[in-house]
Amino acid sequence: MSRPQRMTAPQGTPDGKVVIVDLESVADELYRLRPEEFTAVRDQRSAEAVAAGDRELAHRIKGLHRPTLSAWASNLLVRRKPDEARALTGLGEGLRQAHRDLDGGRLRELSRQQRDLVAALSRQARELAAEAGHQVSDEALREVEATLHAVLADPRAAEEWTAGRLAKPLTGPSGFPGVSAEGPAEGEGEPRPAPARSHAAEEGVADLAEVRERHRQRQQREGLAEARRKAEQADRRALDRQAEFEGLRGEAEWAEKDRHQLQRHASELGRELREAEGRLQAAEDRVRQVRDRLAEAERAWREARRKADAAVAEVERLS
């Protein structure tokens, strides 16, 4: 996988503090985990980024892929054996330089070192994986070896491997053009004496054939490099689309949860409104009843007052 882009977002903690989450530290954390632990922690970190308000970071985190067993073992190797990892990348630099220099003797020496080092590192990767609780199958071990060969041949592959964040095994040339696993034959890659002038015609034909072969090989290498570049671009686009999909799916899940919460709240408010309306109706009924009783009491009072006034008047008349 390519090195994750650095992005940061504030994140709240249970005690109310704010910390900073960045994509590189999350990726570094995830690719240190055992494969079976990867997905749960990745989804948790993505949810934390969503809660912190950074949807883009959440999308990027969701786009990080769980490593295959061989990729995880390769990551484990580079993290646990940094000295051996530096030895392999240094050997790759030496092999590439010797190939450019057509140094046959140096190529033969480094090719022997290559076989020994790749075999030793593959065994170490298998042992480290077993110590961590995973058995590496023969097929997965071959993928580890292919990754190590790609590291030797391609400096970009070496950079990806040493980051310790591979999601899948690296692929690429298992050696160098024109160099076999046994190294070049004696004299190959070394300066050759010029042929005698009496064989000028044969020399011209041989030189032309050599030029054509070199041109064919160069075109083949360029075509392969272009195909790899297009494959990497397509893979990055696919990862971006997947990250966008995963992020939108997470956003949809959060929106669905919000909708359910609002529905529950609206239902509770509706129930409270109905209860309040019932209480209001009961209060209005009581007001009417009290007013009716008040009017009746007023009539009784006036009647009693009238009778009392009449009685007083009768007393006065009789006096």
Side-chain angles (χ1 to χ4, degrees):
M1 62 171 289
S2 59
R3 184 181 296 275
Q5 178 183 355
R6 188 172 187 86
M7 303 172 64
T8 61
Q11 175 189 322
T13 60
D15 58 4
K17 295 180 180 178
V18 176
V19 296
I20 298 297
V21 173
D22 68 84
L23 185 61
E24 287 200 8
S25 64
V26 171
D28 198 53
E29 174 194 12
L30 292 176
Y31 287 102
R32 288 178 181 273
L33 300 173
R34 286 149 47 105
E36 63 270 22
E37 301 169 333
F38 184 94
T39 303
V41 178
R42 179 199 63 189
D43 292 348
Q44 179 183 350
R45 296 294 177 263
S46 178
E48 289 170 354
V50 170
D54 195 329
R55 302 268 182 195
E56 184 180 358
L57 177 60
H59 295 178
R60 294 290 185 180
I61 293 174
K62 272 285 191 179
L64 298 176
H65 291 271
R66 168 179 169 165
T68 65
L69 181 59
S70 62
W72 171 74
S74 299
N75 293 337
L76 194 60
L77 177 65
V78 77
R79 291 181 185 277
R80 297 283 185 83
K81 301 291 183 180
D83 292 341
E84 288 81 347
R86 283 191 292 271
L88 185 72
T89 55
L91 178 60
E93 293 173 1
L95 278 165
R96 293 190 296 272
Q97 185 61 49
H99 176 68
R100 287 191 294 269
D101 296 341
L102 295 179
D103 188 339
R106 182 65 174 159
L107 279 172
R108 284 192 298 275
E109 176 188 349
L110 295 180
S111 295
R112 284 190 290 269
Q113 294 181 26
Q114 169 188 341
R115 290 194 303 275
D116 295 341
L117 187 54
V118 168
L121 291 181
S122 299
R123 286 194 303 271
Q124 288 184 346
R126 184 175 234 173
E127 292 169 358
L128 290 171
E131 291 173 1
H134 283 280
Q135 296 299 320
V136 175
S137 65
D138 291 342
E139 180 180 358
L141 187 63
R142 284 192 291 273
E143 291 179 344
V144 172
E145 292 173 348
T147 294
L148 298 179
H149 282 297
V151 169
L152 286 167
D154 187 347
R156 289 177 299 179
E159 182 179 359
E160 288 189 54
W161 177 60
T162 53
R165 300 173 187 171
L166 296 181
K168 59 185 179 181
L170 296 174
T171 57
S174 60
F176 301 85
V179 181
S180 68
E182 300 299 325
E186 290 291 339
E188 186 177 337
E190 298 176 355
R192 300 177 181 177
R197 292 179 63 86
S198 59
H199 299 291
E202 289 84 355
E203 179 185 359
V205 172
D207 287 347
L208 180 59
E210 184 177 355
V211 168
R212 287 176 175 172
E213 178 61 19
R214 287 181 178 175
H215 179 67
R216 184 192 67 79
Q217 290 180 358
R218 183 172 64 254
Q219 286 184 323
Q220 184 178 10
R221 289 194 299 271
E222 291 174 351
L224 179 59
E226 178 65 14
R228 284 178 179 163
R229 185 184 64 80
K230 290 181 178 178
E232 290 174 356
Q233 289 178 343
D235 187 55
R236 284 195 295 270
R237 285 193 295 269
L239 289 175
D240 288 342
R241 298 292 81 76
Q242 180 178 4
E244 181 178 359
F245 166 75
E246 294 286 355
L248 289 174
R249 182 168 65 180
E251 188 171 347
E253 291 173 355
W254 280 94
E256 185 68 18
K257 290 179 181 178
D258 289 343
R259 184 176 70 85
H260 285 312
Q261 291 176 350
L262 289 173
Q263 281 181 332
R264 286 197 302 270
H265 187 52
S267 178
E268 293 172 357
L269 290 176
R271 177 176 53 78
E272 293 176 0
L273 176 61
R274 288 190 295 271
E275 292 176 354
E277 288 175 342
R279 291 193 297 271
L280 175 62
Q281 184 63 45
E284 290 176 347
D285 291 343
R286 181 167 176 77
V287 166
R288 282 193 298 271
Q289 292 174 359
V290 170
R291 284 178 175 173
D292 290 343
R293 291 172 60 189
L294 177 63
E296 184 179 351
E298 184 180 5
R299 285 193 300 271
W301 167 69
R302 290 184 183 280
E303 180 64 20
R305 181 75 266 169
R306 184 185 65 77
K307 290 180 178 180
D309 290 345
V312 169
E314 181 64 19
V315 169
E316 290 178 353
R317 187 183 65 80
L318 292 176
S319 306

